[in-house]
Amino acid sequence: MSDALERDLTASGVRLRLAELGSGPPMVFLHGPFVDHTCWDGLFGEFAQDHRVIAPDLPGFGSSEKPPASRFPYGVSAFAEAVTDLYAGLSLGPAVLVGHSLGGAVALTVAARHPELVSRLVLIDALCYGSSASAYGRLAMLPVLGGLALKQLWGPRRFRAHFEQSLFGPGARVDTARLEHYYSAFNEPAARASALATLRATIDTRDVAAQTPRIQTPTLVLWGRQDRVWPVSFGQRLSREILGARFELLEAGHSPHEEVAGDVLRLIKRFVDEKPRSRR
């Protein structure tokens, strides 16, 4: 995103860093845990040829402010309200909203609560069912060890192993420079505390799942066949529970937009550019 404009904007009382590029119909990209807006590098420039593309660092992540949990609750609802405020601050009309993992749960919530803000919805390996089944979900539930591990014991080697063993598929190429960038943002006390608060606040996903029948926005669900965080059955279930949603399976792990960016780009472009279909 070397050509993108980076600036700060306040949403829900929290200073957010965002990257913005291009002009035209807006697209908003929401990242998952342990990363920031740069995870969308493989898509940003291509979509900016025809769209105004915007990617914020969610509260507590990347270069955004990392307030204590006493000031920002770090649940999906709180993130969704921050994104809604971001829309207002940028004077956005309806936008294509793309979310991965935690960002997918946030995007889903925004679409369910504020359908006027979302022209099309893209959910990539989205948090929706059974967060506690993931390795980092179980870790966060441990009252003492969870905090100790994330706040003190997660050095660069363990951080990299988490990506290699959970967030990427078997055999996926892991960009060392990118992981060093992610770790640099994570490796400060406030960032580690925000990550732990987020994991603990998103263990219970029932509120997210309950909103799926409310979504009327045209929706594309993308899922990695080798996702080691949440199985393909979660993506299939999500696509069934959202009226008229389309489901596409990718040869990737939990982070298809970083592992097979070209395939993700092609599928989203086709979905965004096609004429609206009649709902089933």
Side-chain angles (χ1 to χ4, degrees), residues 233-256:
S233 59
F234 283 10
Q236 294 168 328
R237 175 182 172 186
L238 182 59
S239 65
R240 289 194 301 268
E241 293 184 353
I242 296 176
L243 181 65
R246 178 182 304 176
F247 178 74
E248 297 282 356
L249 198 57
L250 292 154
E251 296 302 327
H254 184 65
S255 306

Side-chain angles (χ1 to χ4, degrees), residues 10 37 68 70 117 137 183 198 224 230 236:
T10 299
H37 71 269
S70 59
L117 298 181
Y183 182 75
T198 299
W230 301 311
Q236 294 168 328

Side-chain angles (χ1 to χ4, degrees), residues 27 62 69 77 80 93 125 192 220 232 266:
M27 297 183 73
S77 291
D125 294 75
R192 289 173 181 255
L220 172 65
V232 171
R266 173 179 54 82

Side-chain angles (χ1 to χ4, degrees), residues 83-159:
V83 171
T84 302
D85 279 0
L86 182 73
Y87 267 77
L90 295 172
S91 300
L92 292 181
V96 176
L97 187 55
V98 182
H100 167 247
S101 191
L102 168 65
V106 176
L108 188 157
T109 301
V110 172
R113 296 181 180 177
H114 304 282
E116 73 282 0
L117 298 181
V118 186
S119 58
R120 288 181 183 258
L121 178 65
V122 180
L123 304 174
I124 305 174
D125 294 75
L127 166 67
C128 192
Y129 313 110
S131 172
S132 61
S134 71
Y136 56 77
R138 293 193 298 270
L139 175 66
M141 292 176 70
L142 300 176
V144 176
L145 291 180
L148 179 65
L150 281 178
K151 290 183 177 181
Q152 299 182 35
L153 301 182
W154 265 38
R157 182 177 299 179
R158 181 66 192 90
F159 189 83

Side-chain angles (χ1 to χ4, degrees), residues 257-275:
H257 57 298
E258 295 198 78
E259 299 174 61
V260 290
D263 294 337
V264 172
L265 175 68
R266 173 179 54 82
L267 290 170
I268 296 179
K269 265 187 171 293
R270 186 174 69 187
F271 174 66
V272 169
D273 293 342
E274 71 183 5
K275 294 180 180 180

